[in-house]
Amino acid sequence: VQDAASSQDPRSGGDEGSQRCWKEEICQILGEIQAPLSPLLLRLCHWLLPKLLTRLFLSVQLHWGQLEMVLQAARTPEVPLVFLCSHRSQVDGLLLSFILLSQRIGLPRVTVGTWPSPCLRSLLQRLGGIFLPSGMAQTLSDQDEGLPGAVLDAYIQEVLQSRQPLILFLEEPLVSLHLADPARCWLLRVLRALRDGAVPDVLIVPVGIAYDVAP
């Protein structure tokens, strides 16, 4: 992150004023990615979600044999879980978070697409949702990443090192069987964390989601 910040203006050097500006910009980028979790909202959502699910669905079915394999993988020391998921509706993230919490795997960080409402974005961040920085939402190439890309790299490394489960949706809800550009960006962060030795390994868990009728 320091290298990316200094490369934006090499002439500024390490003076106190420029360092303060970099720190403010870095904090702003980090605030676009995530927000501190809210225990009150998490408990409220955990209480409300089963009631919502019973209103939406007749049942939610899991493959217990595969779930047991995931539980065994979650007990692997020093190795984080990364869930690569199909995406069928906007309910998917809440549904998967509830399942992982109910099985005591842990509260995941869930990648979320573009939401037009700032209030909804803030709410999802408090529940574990993470977003691409605004500087990367339009330009998804290595050459244009700059400081937002460096902050995102560092953030994903911290998530993996702390062994928080990470949920990545590979496609957009209405465009199935096509790897979405934001998914490429998130996957690149995981690969860089492995390449740079931030974590020794990553356990990849493929997740398929299907609905009789998508909500």
Side-chain angles (χ1 to χ4, degrees):
V1 173
Q2 289 177 341
D3 291 342
S6 59
S7 66
Q8 287 189 343
D9 188 4
R11 296 169 298 176
S12 61
D15 61 273
E16 184 176 349
S18 62
Q19 289 182 357
R20 189 184 306 112
C21 292
W22 293 343
K23 186 175 181 179
E24 291 175 357
E25 186 175 354
I26 290 168
C27 289
Q28 181 181 355
I29 295 170
L30 188 59
E32 294 178 351
I33 298 173
Q34 60 100 50
L37 298 173
S38 170
L40 176 61
L41 280 176
L42 287 169
R43 286 195 294 268
L44 181 62
C45 186
H46 199 264
W47 177 74
L48 283 175
L49 198 55
K51 296 174 173 54
L52 172 65
L53 293 177
T54 56
R55 295 277 185 176
L56 290 176
F57 311 118
L58 293 176
S59 65
V60 177
Q61 300 178 1
L62 299 175
H63 191 293
W64 287 109
Q66 295 175 358
L67 183 60
E68 181 60 32
M69 293 173 63
V70 174
L71 293 173
Q72 292 178 6
R75 293 191 285 268
T76 305
E78 306 301 325
V79 179
L81 291 175
V82 176
F83 295 84
L84 301 184
C85 312
S86 59
H87 204 5
R88 295 293 178 264
S89 81
Q90 302 293 0
V91 182
D92 295 347
L94 290 174
L95 180 62
L96 286 174
S97 296
F98 174 74
I99 291 172
L100 295 182
L101 269 177
S102 65
Q103 298 300 317
R104 299 185 179 182
I105 295 176
L107 178 69
R109 288 292 184 170
V110 184
T111 61
V112 185
T114 303
W115 289 78
S117 169
C119 294
L120 186 56
R121 176 178 178 134
S122 177
L123 174 63
L124 292 174
Q125 284 181 323
R126 296 287 182 178
L127 294 173
I130 54 177
F131 295 78
L132 290 176
S134 57
M136 299 183 62
Q138 293 80 22
T139 56
L140 297 174
S141 63
D142 293 349
Q143 289 77 15
D144 300 323
E145 285 180 353
L147 187 57
V151 174
L152 188 61
D153 280 334
Y155 174 76
I156 291 299
Q157 289 183 12
E158 290 291 335
V159 169
L160 296 176
Q161 288 172 348
S162 62
R163 298 191 69 241
Q164 296 180 68
L166 180 63
I167 293 179
L168 305 181
F169 289 108
L170 300 180
E171 55 198 12
E172 298 296 337
L174 300 179
V175 187
S176 60
L177 302 179
H178 176 73
L179 185 62
D181 287 337
R184 295 177 189 273
C185 190
W186 291 111
L187 286 170
L188 180 61
R189 267 66 225 172
V190 176
L191 292 174
R192 285 180 179 172
L194 282 170
R195 181 198 64 190
D196 296 340
V199 287
D201 200 0
V202 169
L203 290 174
I204 300 295
V205 182
V207 180
I209 303 173
Y211 300 94
D212 290 336
V213 179

